[in-house]
Amino acid sequence: MLRKLGIGVMAAAAIVTLSSAPGATAAPAPAPERTAATTLYYDDSQAGEFKSAVAAGAEQWNSTVQNVKLAKAPAGTRAEITVIADDGWPRATLGPVRPGGRATVWFGRQAVNEGYDTTRIASHELGHSLGLPDMKPGPCSSLMSGSTAGVSCTNPVPNATERAQVEANYGGGFAGLAPMDGRIVVDAP
């Protein structure tokens, strides 16, 4: 047994000697794999006068998160998120919607007529499609506070907590596999 132990110790010493020999360099640790962002397409063909607000709301998400990107659906491409202008309150399907899935955002004119900011509405409703529930009541700094922040609030930017949740919803591993909720969230005050 002592002899076997002695051979093992000598082998270990040889490995240490080789790895610390002058001029020897250790192989760098492999970089963590970066997965590509999930791309979700939106169809704004029924968004009426709110097309530019929808594009601005999508850009707010694209500039603040990495794991998911919102892109206008090219002609002939099936969109995961359909945006429809109507006369009611803004509302949306609660996600997180997955590629090939379906969610709807109703861009309600009632909120616009009462003075709410259109880019904030778009960013907020898209947030629902990305899996964020309302956080009411809440301050203007919380995008998902929606109408409770008041008509003077024009902030369309998700806060750190909201961004982190969307990153987790679309990140790799089990956190990125959260099922779509599917409820319709109405944003009336």
Side-chain angles (χ1 to χ4, degrees), residues 58-156:
E59 180 53 33
Q60 290 300 323
W61 284 106
N62 290 342
S63 66
T64 59
V65 296
Q66 294 181 7
N67 290 338
V68 64
K69 295 298 173 197
L70 300 172
K72 184 174 177 175
T77 302
R78 183 177 181 268
E80 286 83 12
I81 303 169
T82 301
V83 183
I84 303 169
D86 74 358
D87 293 328
W89 269 97
R91 56 204 182 280
T93 308
L94 184 57
V97 67
R98 300 285 176 217
R102 303 290 274 168
T104 304
V105 167
W106 292 271
F107 204 113
R109 291 182 183 97
Q110 187 173 354
V112 176
N113 293 340
E114 290 193 18
Y116 290 94
D117 182 75
T118 57
T119 302
R120 180 174 167 84
I121 292 169
S123 187
H124 174 92
E125 298 306 327
L126 290 169
H128 286 316
S129 296
L130 298 175
L132 297 178
D134 281 322
M135 298 302 289
K136 294 180 178 182
C140 184
S141 60
S142 168
L143 175 62
M144 300 315 291
S145 67
S147 61
T148 63
V151 294
S152 64
C153 178
T154 61
N155 173 33

Side-chain angles (χ1 to χ4, degrees), residues 8-38:
V9 169
M10 287 192 322
I15 291 171
V16 170
T17 301
L18 287 175
S19 65
S20 61
T25 57
E33 279 189 45
R34 173 86 174 120
T35 58
T38 298

